[in-house]
Amino acid sequence: MSTTTELQQTINDMVDDTRGVLAIDESSPTIAKRFAAIDVESTEENRRHYRSVLLSTPDLGKYISGVILFEETLGQKNNEGMSLAELAWQQAIVPGIKVDKGKGPLPSAPGDSITYGLDGLAERLEGYKAQGARFAKWREVYAITDTNPSCLGLHANAEMLARYAAVCQAAGIVPIVEPEVLMDGNHDIDRCAEVTEHVLHSVFHALHKHHVSLEHMVLKPNMIVPGIDLRTADPEEVASETLKVLRRTVPAAVPSINFLSGGQGPEEATRNLNAINRSAGNAPWQLSISYGRALQQPALHAWLGKAENDAVTQQALLNRAKLNSLARQGKYESE
Ligand code: 5MM
């Protein structure tokens, strides 16, 4: 199979008009924080158990088309000895893998950060592919202040995303490109829109320079929302600002835009997605999800680290996945 055929096949399997992507790719420090909130220790066995419970949820494949795994999870098996990647694919959920190695400060750009992990990426991808991964994900993070992100921050982060995406496509792996403008702060919705427009413009400019095939990637952006300390926007305003910025920056060749939830509550993230899809008209891309917290939070709080809660954990995940599938189609009613 040619690389292009392979990429197209993965896009066909991941992108449709009702399903979305589940992000369970929390790195070790992040999953430890999530488990600490329910008083559960982050051991390898607890992480394996929790994530295999999620991926065994009956009917999850009706609403979820892809799952982003952490490197450790890709090598793990369920109690019956099946790899978690295979378990996902049993329900037509395409397995993918977070390949960035976290972030640190960007030198000469105070307040901006940069993500690590390009060295040896091509070789790592071969290994992940052999374990069943068909797409990858890389996140660059942008904080908003009066002066951030800087010009250097915009340029350097966009270059990283484009270089990562080019390496993935050469290996036949579909890249999810995730430029996350953080909600942290007290900036208003207009400032989030202004920054996100700059970010997406710089990212697509870099993708073009690196000859990334837009037809064979997925964009995972933030929605346009006010800073977490302000939080006054209603879903219609979020929808109109988000669609305005996306129309100005994202080429029609991109098949799917899968939002991150970024700290929005589960209900809020579903309401906003619904409003976006109701207002989208004839938007050229699918408008879907790649939520982590907004899909998992109710499931995590149902689980509480106890095997006797496995079934209610799955019900909680399925419920959120189903509601987001309705929101994907603009058919969600909060009652
Ligand atoms: C922004 O985080 C991504 C989406 O999750 P939310 O919907 O909760 O915002 C998520 O995929 C993230 O990239 C992973 O959890 C990895 O994050 P860390 O911080 O562990 O590298």
Side-chain angles (χ1 to χ4, degrees):
M1 206 193 303
S2 77
T3 303
T4 308
T5 311
E6 196 175 11
L7 292 170
Q8 189 58 53
Q9 186 59 52
T10 300
I11 289 289
N12 295 349
D13 289 341
M14 279 176 76
V15 177
D16 60 36
D17 54 9
T18 55
R19 300 188 298 161
V21 171
L22 167 65
I24 54 169
D25 59 323
E26 299 86 359
S27 58
S28 306
T30 306
I31 193 71
K33 211 160 61 181
R34 305 273 187 268
F35 277 9
I38 53 162
D39 223 7
V40 170
E41 199 189 340
S42 181
T43 61
E44 185 176 348
E45 174 51 22
N46 282 341
R47 295 190 292 271
R48 185 199 68 84
H49 181 92
Y50 170 66
R51 286 163 168 161
S52 72
V53 167
L54 296 185
L55 291 175
S56 320
T57 301
D59 287 339
L60 191 64
K62 282 187 183 167
Y63 311 113
I64 296 294
S65 60
V67 62
I68 314 173
L69 305 172
F70 186 56
E71 191 176 26
E72 173 190 76
T73 319
L74 194 59
Q76 288 175 327
K77 297 185 166 146
N78 69 0
N79 291 344
E80 286 68 49
M82 180 183 283
S83 82
L84 296 193
E86 246 181 294
L87 186 63
W89 185 236
Q90 262 199 339
Q91 291 204 59
I93 299 172
V94 181
I97 167 93
K98 162 195 163 80
V99 297
D100 67 72
K101 295 280 184 189
K103 65 180 172 58
L106 175 64
S108 306
D112 288 336
S113 63
I114 193 81
T115 296
Y116 312 124
L118 274 184
D119 286 352
L121 179 59
E123 292 73 29
R124 282 201 285 137
L125 287 176
E126 288 309 319
Y128 298 147
K129 217 174 159 179
Q131 290 177 289
R134 295 172 58 196
F135 71 90
K137 194 212 77 173
W138 181 292
R139 177 167 64 131
E140 293 293 331
V141 181
Y142 305 78
I144 295 186
T145 70
D146 289 345
T147 51
N148 296 100
S150 65
C151 280
L152 175 58
L154 289 172
H155 177 75
N157 281 277
E159 279 290 305
M160 292 301 273
L161 281 169
R163 288 178 61 194
Y164 139 81
V167 173
C168 285
Q169 289 188 341
I173 296 270
V174 166
I176 294 189
V177 172
E178 181 182 6
E180 179 183 12
V181 177
L182 294 175
M183 282 168 73
D184 303 348
N186 62 1
H187 52 271
D188 61 18
I189 194 166
D190 294 341
R191 176 77 178 133
C192 178
E194 178 187 46
V195 168
T196 306
E197 186 174 336
H198 284 310
V199 165
L200 292 178
H201 180 76
S202 66
V203 168
F204 279 98
H205 184 57
L207 291 169
H208 173 74
K209 281 191 296 182
H210 287 264
H211 304 285
V212 171
S213 164
L214 300 183
E215 288 81 358
H216 301 116
M217 61 161 277
V218 169
L219 179 70
K220 176 169 174 170
N222 51 284
M223 292 178 189
I224 307 300
V225 290
I228 203 136
D229 303 339
L230 271 189
R231 303 302 293 280
T232 49
D234 61 29
E236 284 63 41
E237 188 180 11
V238 171
S240 90
E241 289 299 310
T242 301
L243 288 164
K244 183 177 78 184
V245 169
L246 294 176
R247 286 190 179 112
R248 286 179 178 181
T249 54
V250 184
V254 173
S256 189
I257 296 176
N258 291 53
F259 296 102
L260 57 90
S261 59
Q264 295 181 45
E267 276 298 320
E268 181 186 10
T270 306
R271 274 198 306 270
N272 285 338
L273 179 72
N274 191 56
I276 289 171
N277 275 290
R278 278 199 185 162
S279 315
N282 57 354
W285 346 265
Q286 294 296 326
L287 290 156
S288 184
I289 57 165
S290 177
Y291 291 164
R293 284 162 284 183
L295 274 173
Q296 285 185 70
Q297 201 174 299
L300 197 60
H301 287 263
W303 180 54
L304 298 175
K306 299 191 173 105
E308 65 259 33
N309 293 336
D310 287 355
V312 285
T313 305
Q314 293 178 337
Q315 278 161 22
L317 175 66
L318 191 70
N319 181 50
R320 286 259 53 97
K322 189 174 178 178
L323 294 175
N324 280 298
S325 172
L326 289 170
R328 271 287 273 101
Q329 305 163 70
K331 293 179 182 167
Y332 168 75
E333 303 289 344
S334 52
E335 318 68 76

